[in-house]
Amino acid sequence: MRAAALALLLAASACSVAARGVERAPDAASTLADAVVGFTPQVEGAPSAEAVVLQGIAGAQRSVHVATFILTSKKIAQALVAAHQRGLDVRVVADPRLQTDRYSALTFVANQGVPVRANARYALMHHKFMVIDGRDLQTGSYNYTQAAAARNAENVLLLRNRRDVAAAYEQEWQRLWAEAEPVAPRH
């Protein structure tokens, strides 16, 4: 089932499968693109879903725009803060319903100076994606949580050098960001 779903997604992206990733057929207007997939529980010989997310953040050179339902993963929060401290444009838009008075990874990120906004316009702001440098896209079922890394069955897809796909997600991210309210740091 996983293979069929991935094959359908990759076919829709006009990609062909290669050894550990996907290479887009080169043409005069395109650059080499690849995809990295990760699953939780981890599939033998492949990176975990969390590792793929962290790889995407670590490889960013200019920006990481995050749309997420929830953020409780300490590792992902720390990676976002590290990218912000490297001078990258890191911003997070999240669903506000899971924000509580207790300290969370989202609070930690906001307290470290990363701009965070809460989008309460929908029954659930259930997105789970990152647009990286305006050219790479990380998406999938994977919530950025401890539970997703340790207990859930999840998937992640990191598409590199797909400005066309990243641009569509960036447009959605900009829309969500514009209609969201700033989250103030709580020290």
Side-chain angles (χ1 to χ4, degrees), residues 72-150:
T72 66
S73 167
K74 183 177 179 179
K75 288 180 183 179
I76 293 172
Q78 289 173 330
L80 291 170
V81 169
H84 172 72
Q85 291 172 341
R86 290 192 333 257
L88 277 61
D89 171 24
V90 177
R91 292 184 275 165
V92 178
V93 61
D95 190 284
R97 285 154 201 72
L98 297 175
Q99 292 185 61
T100 64
D101 290 334
R102 65 186 175 93
Y103 198 79
S104 70
L106 195 60
T107 306
F108 168 75
V109 168
N111 285 349
Q112 300 303 309
V114 174
V116 175
R117 290 190 181 179
N119 188 318
R121 186 166 181 176
Y122 308 97
L124 293 175
M125 209 295 291
H126 209 240
H127 283 301
K128 302 156 190 101
F129 69 85
M130 295 183 190
V131 179
I132 301 165
D133 296 337
R135 70 165 192 267
D136 301 344
L137 172 71
Q138 180 272 300
T139 190
S141 69
Y142 189 80
N143 282 304
Y144 306 126
T145 66
Q146 301 290 357

Side-chain angles (χ1 to χ4, degrees), residues 29-91:
S30 70
T31 59
L32 187 63
D34 67 307
V36 180
V37 297
F39 297 100
T40 300
Q42 187 172 359
V43 175
E44 187 176 330
S48 69
E50 181 180 63
V52 173
V53 173
L54 294 172
Q55 180 184 46
I57 297 168
Q61 298 175 352
R62 290 183 310 281
S63 62
V64 180
H65 293 164
V66 182
T68 185
F69 176 59
I70 184 171
L71 175 63
T72 66
S73 167
K74 183 177 179 179
K75 288 180 183 179
I76 293 172
Q78 289 173 330
L80 291 170
V81 169
H84 172 72
Q85 291 172 341
R86 290 192 333 257
L88 277 61
D89 171 24
V90 177
R91 292 184 275 165

